[in-house]
Amino acid sequence: MALLVACAGIIVAASHAEVAATETPLVCRNLFDDDANGHADNRGVTTTDLIGLRDIGPNFGTDLPKSPLALSPDGKHLAFVLSRADPALNDYCQALVTIDSQSPRPLKILDMSRGLINDVQNIRGFRTTNGTPLINNPHWSPDGQYLAYLVQVSGIPQARVVSVDGASVVFTTTSETAVREIRWSSDGRLLFGNEPEAARLEADIDQQGRTGFLYDDSFVPNREARPSLPAPIPIRFQSLTQVEQCRRNTQGTRAGKYLI
């Protein structure tokens, strides 16, 4: 009985993460197609050209809080997330790619997805989102066989694990609140940090709105028509291999080292 109770707590805390492989929209496959915008002609630069520029980092200076590049444990490969705006989608496409750090081989596409993840800042004790993209740096597993990074799923940042050799999605979390941080433990467990308190805080603001918002320091009218969430919101880390171990013990399921 104690095992069942402990497992139930871990599974609920992990927000019911499930195996998921998302189909990449066909239009996102133009992410690496330089002819998609008609670059073949000798002409001047257009707004479409500028919108279609690819980038691997945020849109501000060089004093970055962290690098968008991730070096593999053996030092032989670099991984990064490449983004490109798509006017037809009115959205962003992104790709998780690796390059050989010791040779000029072409980059390898491991995964593609849609959606730009904005960063959140703590300003005057309140959460602020000003449109600055998150530095979505990938994280290598200790053995170098897998990469974890963030993707946007139905408007919520989720952690996704991709096989480096197979270039296939192993799983994507389905956390009810945004996944903000990803880490690997030394023994190969994926840890993802989400914000369980965020949903309750948003619900409290919704309830306040029924009688009228209090105009205090949390209210910034030129940003949004509701108060800001207090910051920082505590991040709670979950271990997906713990979830699988509990499911295997209680349900008799099977899974590999990094599967959930």
Side-chain angles (χ1 to χ4, degrees):
M1 178 62 70
L3 174 62
L4 292 176
V5 172
C7 290
I10 293 173
I11 291 173
V12 170
S15 304
H16 308 288
E18 299 290 348
V19 176
T22 305
E23 282 293 326
T24 302
L26 289 175
V27 67
C28 278
R29 296 176 187 176
N30 290 331
L31 183 63
F32 297 94
D33 183 6
D34 287 332
D35 293 329
N37 291 335
H39 291 177
D41 298 332
N42 185 11
R43 56 173 175 73
V45 176
T46 68
T47 55
T48 301
D49 298 327
L50 297 177
I51 292 173
L53 289 175
R54 293 181 288 259
D55 66 73
I56 62 172
N59 56 0
F60 56 90
T62 56
D63 187 17
L64 303 180
K66 57 184 177 181
S67 173
L69 307 175
L71 186 65
S72 62
D74 62 7
K76 295 181 179 180
H77 296 86
L78 278 171
F80 55 90
V81 175
L82 188 149
S83 299
R84 186 182 198 179
D86 191 311
L89 288 176
N90 193 27
D91 202 350
Y92 279 79
C93 291
Q94 66 174 17
L96 174 65
V97 302
T98 60
I99 59 173
D100 193 319
S101 63
Q102 300 176 337
S103 73
R105 295 176 183 173
L107 59 81
K108 181 179 180 181
I109 305 170
L110 300 183
D111 185 42
M112 301 181 74
S113 62
R114 278 179 55 179
L116 183 70
I117 302 176
N118 287 325
D119 198 7
V120 293
Q121 296 89 31
N122 180 354
I123 299 180
R124 294 185 291 108
F126 295 96
R127 167 169 288 184
T128 300
T129 302
N130 57 14
T132 301
L134 176 78
I135 301 178
N136 193 1
N137 59 321
H139 296 262
W140 292 87
S141 62
D143 58 10
Q145 295 183 19
Y146 300 89
L147 277 164
Y149 78 118
L150 294 176
V151 296
Q152 191 94 282
V153 180
S154 300
I156 300 177
Q158 302 286 353
R160 175 172 291 176
V161 172
V162 178
S163 169
V164 175
D165 291 335
S168 59
V169 174
V170 180
F171 64 81
T172 304
T173 60
T174 55
S175 173
E176 294 179 359
T177 58
V179 175
R180 297 298 181 189
E181 294 188 32
I182 303 172
R183 300 175 185 172
W184 291 95
S185 66
S186 58
D187 61 351
R189 291 180 298 139
L190 178 75
L191 307 175
F192 72 96
N194 60 4
E195 302 169 320
E197 279 290 292
R200 181 188 65 79
L201 292 172
E202 290 283 7
D204 288 345
I205 292 177
D206 290 339
Q207 185 63 32
Q208 293 174 26
R210 294 179 179 273
T211 56
F213 294 127
L214 175 65
Y215 189 79
D216 59 9
D217 289 343
S218 68
F219 205 92
V220 186
N222 65 346
R223 190 174 65 236
E224 57 182 334
R226 59 187 281 123
S228 304
L229 293 178
I233 296 176
I235 292 178
R236 185 170 62 184
F237 280 90
Q238 330 295 340
S239 171
L240 293 181
T241 49
Q242 285 180 318
V243 174
E244 175 52 37
Q245 184 63 46
C246 285
R247 289 179 176 172
R248 184 161 47 194
N249 289 341
T250 58
Q251 301 176 10
T253 59
R254 299 175 57 192
K257 182 177 180 182
Y258 296 102
L259 296 178
I260 59 172

